[in-house]
Amino acid sequence: MVTAMKISKVLIANRGEIALRIMRTCREMNIITVAVYSEPDRLSPHVLFADEAYCIGPATASESYLRIDKLIQCAQDCGADAIHPGYGFLSENADFSRAVSEAGLIFIGPKPDTISAMGSKTESRKMMIAAEVPVVPGAAGAVDTLDEAKEIVESIGGYPALIKAAAGGGGKGMRIVFEEDELERALAAARGEAAKAFGDDTVYVEKYIQAPKHIEIQIIADTHGNVVHLWERDCSIQRRHQKVIEECPSPTLTPEQRSHLGEIAVQAAKACNYVNAGTVEFIYDNVENFYFLEMNTRLQVEHPVTEMVMGVDLVRLQIEVAAGQELPFKQEDIVPRGHAIECRINAENVYQNFVPSTGKIEYLSFPTGPGVRIDSGVDQHSEVTPFYDPMVAKMIAYAATREQAISRMVRALKEFQITGIETTVPFCLKALVHPEFIGGHFTTKFIETYWDELQKAPTPHDEEIALSALMGHVDNNNSKPVTRREAVLQEPSRWKMQATPGWKNR
Ligand code: ADP
Ligand code: ADP
Ligand code: MG
């Protein structure tokens, strides 16, 4: 029998939007929030929001946000009961989870053994095969030599094949191989990238599924043996194997496919004694097969779309189950409502192949109004540095139907105003009104396939030129970015005509 513990003070071992997101729920639960920060983050919104804040080191993450010793010391010194790791950084580090428990603190996440089992793509594949969960056809474990790789490719029916880092994450350490001649070089390249990014050069080989959909299932499990799935998210809009736009529910999954996948995800969670929130990722070959990809043992970036549709607060649930409470619902109580879409707003220059765009934010104004949620980590005084993730905000549109959620997101993207840095706002707008996105049958190849259209800067005679000014990004003459306020002041007559522009694709 697990007795419930009281959590009254939480240290958030993270920064940016996710630190704020977690603190907001803590505040709603009357839990004291403790921020940690690196020197350049001294005046960041997450620091200013927290009840208490402590500096833990310089800019480099390995000297601050990744310092297990300092984080635990800090939690003990300030009397926190629990640590929430957010996503990224130490969230999927089994040593951290273990060290937190050994220090007598509650880790708001799964047990260390679960994290280490699921942290390795090769180990998790083995575990899933044993639990009869379908995995992408490929190697049973690590692949060490060229000959071994060749043998595996043969056993899965030939090329294309995908070399993946066992410790991979964030889309890193992957190489697609189309013919045998490329195999040796690709193996070396994947190994090199994996060593650099994860300090582990273990790789393996699986079948490369051409133009699949990425479908993932949110699960939540308590310490009393209850595991519930909260439907799926479709995260097929990706670039460089990283998600850009996500939605709940998937526009194409049938109810049968959904309950089938949900059951598999619960089975996968039970197979690794899962506790807390997690995500089971699958790829769908668009014919009939769903394959297990990996399990993310943490809160996912795109968790808000699930929250909107399911009417739950995943961070609250995480804290409650970490305190030993039973889940407040059973599978049959889950009643989804409406549709939610999320756009990741990254500080990136889309027109230069998504290179990070750093600098000081000069002007920032978020959309508001019905059904729009912004989870952001920056404010008007923020400086976007190259030290951390380029995601500055997530924008979520929620409405009764998918169609309405799309128009709402389009409206919100047009309202989003930011100057000083380039962002993915104009790109998301283009993607969202693309007929294939609207049709719902898009795959992970969407951005690559339509790249020419999607990356086109607005043309002078295009209605979008007005919208680009509205959004405050650069127009075709490469003039300085303008906010709507500045544009009205500069050219009041033109503006009057375009004050309520129609949107021709809708
Ligand atoms: P999600 O599946 O939640 O969308 P992403 O793959 O986009 O996750 O990654 C979420 C965050 O975690 C990003 O900030 C990414 O850079 C970071 N991240 C993911 N995996 C790793 C890892 N293995 N090591 C370090 N950072 C990671
Ligand atoms: P990460 O840990 O980096 O998130 P994943 O295994 O989840 O790695 O894969 C990230 C993305 O790469 C997937 O969403 C998918 O788009 C693509 N991908 C991964 N494995 C395959 C595969 N076998 N075939 C086709 N695409 C794949
Ligand atoms: Mg993944």
Side-chain angles (χ1 to χ4, degrees):
M1 184 65 209
V2 192
T3 47
M5 294 157 287
K6 176 117 184 78
I7 294 182
S8 46
K9 189 168 185 175
V10 173
L11 181 144
I12 294 95
N14 216 301
R15 67 182 299 281
E17 69 86 19
I18 195 61
L20 276 160
R21 155 77 199 88
I22 294 160
M23 288 179 199
R24 289 199 159 101
T25 288
C26 289
R27 192 154 289 171
E28 290 170 22
M29 295 174 79
N30 203 21
I31 292 171
I32 300 167
T33 53
V34 181
V36 291
Y37 62 95
S38 65
E39 283 155 16
D41 277 347
R42 189 170 62 96
L43 295 173
S44 296
H46 84 281
V47 176
L48 302 178
F49 186 93
D51 297 310
E52 294 171 27
Y54 301 97
C55 183
I56 48 162
T60 322
S62 59
E63 294 177 63
S64 50
Y65 295 106
L66 291 171
R67 282 287 295 264
I68 295 180
D69 54 343
K70 287 192 185 175
L71 290 162
I72 289 177
Q73 187 66 51
C74 183
Q76 286 178 324
D77 289 350
C78 75
D81 325 292
I83 295 186
H84 195 306
Y87 57 69
F89 294 125
L90 293 168
S91 61
E92 294 181 277
N93 185 311
D95 292 338
F96 183 52
S97 159
R98 192 173 293 113
V100 170
S101 311
E102 282 173 5
L105 301 161
I106 298 170
F107 180 77
I108 303 175
K111 296 276 164 264
D113 291 347
T114 309
I115 298 177
S116 44
M118 293 294 125
S120 154
K121 290 190 204 285
T122 45
E123 289 311 303
S124 64
R125 277 170 64 85
K126 282 184 205 158
M127 200 178 255
M128 290 305 133
I129 294 167
E132 295 182 0
V133 170
V135 301
V136 184
V143 170
D144 297 320
T145 64
L146 181 61
D147 286 340
E148 255 180 84
K150 281 183 187 165
E151 241 169 71
I152 287 156
V153 175
E154 219 164 279
S155 75
I156 56 174
Y159 297 90
L162 187 63
I163 303 172
K164 293 174 81 167
K172 292 199 193 81
M174 266 184 246
R175 284 290 182 286
I176 307 167
V177 188
F178 291 96
E179 47 193 272
E180 194 168 296
D181 285 356
E182 303 166 3
L183 189 59
E184 188 168 10
R185 206 188 313 168
L187 267 175
R191 238 187 245 297
E193 193 173 310
K196 198 164 155 243
F198 315 111
D200 175 356
D201 73 351
T202 312
V203 296
Y204 71 105
V205 182
E206 64 183 32
K207 191 173 179 61
Y208 178 66
I209 311 293
Q210 306 212 42
K213 253 186 178 305
H214 173 115
I215 306 278
E216 59 185 35
I217 303 277
Q218 175 72 52
I219 61 113
I220 177 94
D222 65 18
T223 48
H224 305 265
N226 303 303
V227 187
V228 172
H229 76 81
L230 295 166
W231 285 39
E232 80 283 1
R233 294 181 287 256
D234 189 325
C235 312
S236 305
I237 308 290
Q238 304 183 347
R239 57 106 178 63
R240 294 188 215 122
H241 310 297
Q242 284 177 330
K243 302 157 189 167
V244 185
I245 300 175
E246 304 101 339
E247 60 185 306
C248 173
S250 164
T252 53
L253 219 61
T254 64
E256 293 72 32
Q257 287 176 322
R258 173 173 300 120
S259 51
H260 172 63
L261 269 196
E263 277 164 30
I264 297 182
V266 169
Q267 197 178 321
K270 288 187 171 159
C272 59
N273 296 317
Y274 206 86
V275 175
N276 218 286
T279 296
V280 188
E281 297 191 329
F282 297 90
I283 45 176
Y284 175 47
D285 66 6
N286 272 308
V287 187
E288 55 178 344
N289 299 303
F290 285 93
Y291 299 112
F292 169 86
L293 262 189
E294 64 163 345
M295 180 156 191
N296 291 325
T297 54
R298 56 171 161 90
L299 191 65
Q300 205 93 347
V301 174
E302 58 276 19
H303 75 277
V305 291
T306 299
E307 293 188 322
M308 305 309 281
V309 173
M310 300 297 153
V312 298
D313 177 339
L314 281 165
V315 174
R316 177 182 281 265
L317 291 170
Q318 284 194 295
I319 294 171
E320 287 172 354
V321 299
Q325 294 180 34
E326 241 184 289
L327 282 176
F329 44 69
K330 303 257 176 256
Q331 192 65 55
E332 56 273 22
D333 301 325
I334 300 301
V335 186
R337 193 154 175 246
H339 198 98
I341 302 175
E342 172 182 279
C343 288
R344 297 195 190 190
I345 314 297
N346 293 343
E348 288 171 345
N349 188 333
V350 176
Y351 310 115
Q352 285 173 26
N353 203 19
F354 294 98
V355 290
S357 169
T358 56
K360 194 171 169 348
I361 295 175
E362 287 164 4
Y363 180 81
L364 181 65
S365 170
F366 289 136
T368 59
V372 178
R373 166 174 169 182
I374 307 267
D375 283 18
S376 159
V378 294
D379 60 23
Q380 196 157 335
H381 310 285
S382 297
E383 170 113 25
V384 179
T385 67
F387 300 119
Y388 312 109
D389 202 276
M391 197 180 72
V392 292
K394 304 184 304 206
M395 184 147 76
I396 302 100
Y398 172 67
T401 63
R402 181 169 191 262
E403 201 181 28
Q404 288 170 23
I406 293 176
S407 7
R408 187 159 270 173
M409 182 64 94
V410 170
R411 183 268 288 175
L413 285 164
K414 290 180 192 171
E415 257 179 67
F416 198 109
Q417 296 181 49
I418 184 163
T419 65
I421 54 164
E422 298 295 327
T423 72
T424 45
V425 166
F427 176 80
C428 287
L429 193 46
K430 286 226 163 209
L432 228 73
V433 296
H434 194 281
E436 184 152 317
F437 181 79
I438 292 172
H441 288 274
F442 51 84
T443 71
T444 57
K445 287 272 158 256
F446 174 82
I447 292 181
E448 197 182 307
T449 309
Y450 300 107
W451 179 238
D452 286 348
E453 290 168 59
L454 294 171
Q455 58 116 38
K456 241 180 232 154
T459 57
H461 300 294
D462 192 355
E463 173 181 47
E464 280 180 11
I465 194 77
L467 301 174
S468 72
L470 266 174
M471 293 179 294
H473 69 78
V474 191
D475 70 18
N476 241 26
N477 304 320
N478 286 331
S479 61
K480 204 176 160 295
V482 286
T483 65
R484 179 168 190 171
R485 190 169 183 281
E486 286 164 346
V488 173
L489 290 172
Q490 279 164 17
E491 227 183 314
S493 60
R494 187 188 87 165
W495 210 259
K496 210 169 173 189
M497 312 250 317
Q498 309 227 358
T500 51
W503 185 254
K504 65 172 188 287
N505 291 326
R506 285 257 342 136

